[in-house]
């Protein structure tokens, strides 16, 4: 009895409450996105809303099962879980079903499909946490860094082959886990500068970007001229940056498909959308903007009701929130996500075991990345790459994988006071 009471009070119920709120918001908005006068009930199991209710209920069963597990098993099973997801990612390339141009689904029959890339996220976080928490493993050591990078890179390569660019991009967020564990901030700075150079090289001509790099390098050299090693690094960095600038256009033209380049060009204002490549995004912005401050009211969204926005119950579910609940409702949803991510970081920092802390940062990084990309895509500041909004978008694979991702952390946290060693 005491163990049961201890278990009950040790679970972070604040996080569970946020999870339930987001799932409920998702369920209601999915019903609005697919609403049909012939199927008006939100409990109609022939509709996407009915399916989502089943996913939510089964997700709660999965979450409860995880909370009842012995927490030591989570670390012990992480290599096996990782191997299974890698095998599934290989299998989907052979027998996978194409949806939206991506061969990312395994058909289970009865209208249900499994997306292995979603489950690869928590499996990768678990194995990464296990490896980085091992004795004598330091992310600052080149060998340890390369192994940690390989753990992240392997599922990324397989997912890119589907090709699922959105899920591939999400794995890049795990760099923040490495940063928390001691990776130099120079890696983040260099990554940010490369992104800025990439975008600048697309928007401006190469000569202008090179001139800006040279001017910036000269100014830095003048400031730190007494530090010769640093001056040398700046000069080498400037030369690498200049080489990167000239490589951007060839990489851009050969590395991305035409429809991907068209989407990026439209977002950056490099071309007009004469071929309606940005139709989805334009309709999404119209839907969100038409909601104004308080929204049009539940089930009253015209963009939603008449299916102007494709994939509105999945990738563009935030449009339904914006149109029917307005700016106020959008702020509430974004506030819940912000609270959730901050709560997860708080949970991660209070862990005694490095394994639990590292895993917690993996959870925060993946959820944060999903939210930022999905909302940025919906409001038109990022190109469309297709990525679900955690706990809100329609889909069993997405909801179950995020549930597992979160509830594993809740299980580890509930047992933190009993941890004696890592």
């Amino acid at each position: 009895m005491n163990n049961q009471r201890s278990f009950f009070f040790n679970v972070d119920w604040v996080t569970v409450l946020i999870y339930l709120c987001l799932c409920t918001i998702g369920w209601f908005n999915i019903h609005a996105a697919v609403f049909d006068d012939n199927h008006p009930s939100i409990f109609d199991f022939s509709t996407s809303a009915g399916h989502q209710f089943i996913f939510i209920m089964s997700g709660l069963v999965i979450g409860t099962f995880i909370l009842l597990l012995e927490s030591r098993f989570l670390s012990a099973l992480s290599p096996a879980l990782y191997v299974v997801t890698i095998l599934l990612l290989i299998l989907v390339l052979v027998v996978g079903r194409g949806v939206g141009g991506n061969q990312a689904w395994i058909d289970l029959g009865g209208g249900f499909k499994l997306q292995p890339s979603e489950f690869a996220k928590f499996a990768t976080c678990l194995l990464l946490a296990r490896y980085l928490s091992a004795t004598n493993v330091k992310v600052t050591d080149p060998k340890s860094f390369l192994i940690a990078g390989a753990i992240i890179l392997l599922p990324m390569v397989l997912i890119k082959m589907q090709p699922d660019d959105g899920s591939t991009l999400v794995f890049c967020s795990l760099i923040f886990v490495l940063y928390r564990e001691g990776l130099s901030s120079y890696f983040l700075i260099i990554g940010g500068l490369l992104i800025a150079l990439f975008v600048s090289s697309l928007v401006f001509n190469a000569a202008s970007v090179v001139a800006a790099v040279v001017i910036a390098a000269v100014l830095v050299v003048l400031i730190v001229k007494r530090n010769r090693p640093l001056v040398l690094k700046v000069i080498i960095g400037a030369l690498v940056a200049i080489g990167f600038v000239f490589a951007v256009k060839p990489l851009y033209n050969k590395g991305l498909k035409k429809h991907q380049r068209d989407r990026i060009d439209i977002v950056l204002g490099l071309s007009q959308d004469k071929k309606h490549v940005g139709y989805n995004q334009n309709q999404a912005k119209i839907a969100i903007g038409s909601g104004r401050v308080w929204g049009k009211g539940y089930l009253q969204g015209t963009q939603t009701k008449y299916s102007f926005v494709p994939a509105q119950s999945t990738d563009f579910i935030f449009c339904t929130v914006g149109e029917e609940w307005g700016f106020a409702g959008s702020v509430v949803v974004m506030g819940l996500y912000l609270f959730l991510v901050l709560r997860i970081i708080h949970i991660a920092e209070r862990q005694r075991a490095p394994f639990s802390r590292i895993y917690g940062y993996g959870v925060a990084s993946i959820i944060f990345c999903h939210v930022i990309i999905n909302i940025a895509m919906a409001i038109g500041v990022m190109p469309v790459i297709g990525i679900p909004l955690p706990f809100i978008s329609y889909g069993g694979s997405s909801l179950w994988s995020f549930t597992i991702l979160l509830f594993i952390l809740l299980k580890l946290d509930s047992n933190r006071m009993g941890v004696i060693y890592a």
Side-chain angles (χ1 to χ4, degrees):
M1 181 65 71
N2 289 334
N3 289 337
Q4 291 178 346
R5 291 181 62 187
S6 176
F7 164 78
F8 180 84
F9 287 113
N10 285 340
V11 173
D12 192 88
W13 295 107
V14 173
T15 303
V16 174
L17 180 61
I18 300 171
Y19 163 81
L20 292 174
C21 286
L22 289 171
C23 287
T24 303
I25 289 171
W27 180 39
F28 274 90
N29 281 282
I30 289 168
H31 177 59
V34 300
F35 183 77
D36 183 352
D37 290 330
N38 295 322
H39 301 276
S41 174
I42 197 171
F43 291 101
D44 189 335
F45 297 116
S46 67
T47 67
S48 294
H51 292 165
Q52 189 71 4
F53 179 76
I54 295 173
F55 297 149
I56 293 172
M57 291 298 103
S58 55
L60 289 173
V61 173
I62 293 171
T64 303
F65 175 75
I66 292 172
L67 292 178
L68 294 174
L69 284 175
E70 173 58 52
S71 58
R72 293 181 183 179
F73 291 157
L74 297 172
S75 176
L77 290 174
S78 57
L81 289 172
Y82 184 83
V83 170
V84 168
T85 56
I86 293 300
L87 292 175
L88 286 174
L89 288 174
I90 295 173
L91 180 64
V92 79
L93 295 174
V94 180
V95 301
R97 177 180 174 185
V99 177
N102 297 336
Q103 190 171 326
W105 306 83
I106 296 176
D107 196 342
L108 300 178
F112 291 97
K113 301 182 293 292
L114 181 72
Q115 188 176 9
S117 60
E118 291 294 333
F119 298 94
K121 294 166 189 173
F122 72 80
T124 302
C125 285
L126 281 172
L127 186 61
L128 185 64
R130 178 187 168 101
Y131 175 70
L132 291 178
S133 62
T135 306
N136 298 325
V137 172
K138 294 183 179 180
V139 75
T140 52
D141 176 61
K143 179 182 177 181
S144 299
F145 175 73
L146 289 175
I147 294 175
I151 292 172
I152 299 171
L153 189 61
L154 179 56
M156 285 181 66
V157 172
L158 293 173
I159 293 169
K160 176 62 179 174
M161 291 172 65
Q162 295 178 1
D164 184 351
D165 296 323
S167 294
T168 303
L169 185 60
V170 166
F171 281 83
C172 295
S173 68
L174 295 177
I175 188 69
F176 293 109
V177 178
L178 304 183
Y179 171 71
R180 172 60 183 82
E181 293 308 304
L183 186 68
S184 174
S185 58
Y186 285 117
F187 283 89
L188 296 181
I189 294 172
I190 291 171
L193 289 175
L194 288 176
I195 293 173
L197 280 175
F198 180 82
V199 174
S200 299
S201 300
L202 293 178
V203 176
F204 306 103
N205 61 66
S208 299
V209 180
V210 169
V213 170
V214 171
I215 293 172
V218 169
L219 291 174
V220 173
V221 168
L222 291 174
I223 293 173
V224 300
K225 58 184 178 182
R226 294 183 179 179
N227 188 336
R228 291 186 177 181
L230 185 56
V231 168
L232 181 61
K233 290 180 180 179
V234 171
I235 293 173
I236 294 174
L239 292 174
V240 172
I242 291 170
F244 180 74
V245 169
F246 286 108
V248 165
K249 285 292 178 68
L251 290 173
Y252 181 68
N253 291 326
K254 294 181 180 180
L256 297 178
K257 295 180 180 179
K258 188 178 185 306
H259 73 275
Q260 294 173 322
R261 297 197 303 271
D262 289 341
R263 289 171 178 176
I264 295 174
D265 289 345
I266 292 168
V267 170
L268 295 178
L270 300 177
S271 65
Q272 295 181 348
D273 190 16
K274 294 180 180 180
K275 297 181 180 180
H276 301 289
V277 174
Y279 174 82
N280 293 14
Q281 207 162 48
N282 290 333
Q283 294 298 324
K285 289 189 287 185
I286 291 172
I288 294 172
S290 66
R292 299 188 178 183
V293 178
W294 302 110
K296 296 177 180 177
Y298 188 56
L299 301 180
Q300 301 302 312
T302 53
Q303 294 291 113
T304 296
K305 185 178 293 185
Y306 298 110
S307 303
F308 283 103
V309 183
Q312 190 155 349
S313 64
T314 52
D315 298 342
F316 287 97
I317 190 66
F318 189 74
C319 302
T320 307
V321 177
E323 183 178 23
E324 299 197 343
W325 303 102
F327 177 77
S330 300
V331 168
V332 169
V333 170
M334 290 188 289
L336 283 171
Y337 279 122
L338 178 60
F339 189 19
L340 177 62
V341 171
L342 292 176
R343 187 71 184 179
I344 291 171
I345 293 174
H346 170 71
I347 291 172
E349 286 294 341
R350 72 187 183 191
Q351 300 306 304
R352 293 182 174 185
F355 172 82
S356 302
R357 181 188 67 244
I358 296 167
Y359 178 78
Y361 269 90
V363 176
S365 298
I366 287 177
I367 291 178
F368 179 76
C369 185
H370 263 271
V371 173
I372 291 297
I373 292 176
N374 182 277
I375 295 178
M377 177 184 70
I379 63 178
V381 297
M382 280 189 68
V384 176
I385 55 176
I387 193 171
L389 192 58
F391 312 114
I392 290 184
S393 288
Y394 172 76
S397 292
S398 172
L399 181 61
W400 292 338
S401 67
F402 279 116
T403 298
I404 295 170
L405 185 75
L406 182 62
F407 274 75
I408 287 176
L409 177 61
L410 292 175
K411 175 57 187 178
L412 294 172
D413 179 61
S414 71
N415 193 51
R416 70 184 185 280
M417 300 309 294
V419 173
I420 300 175
Y421 57 90

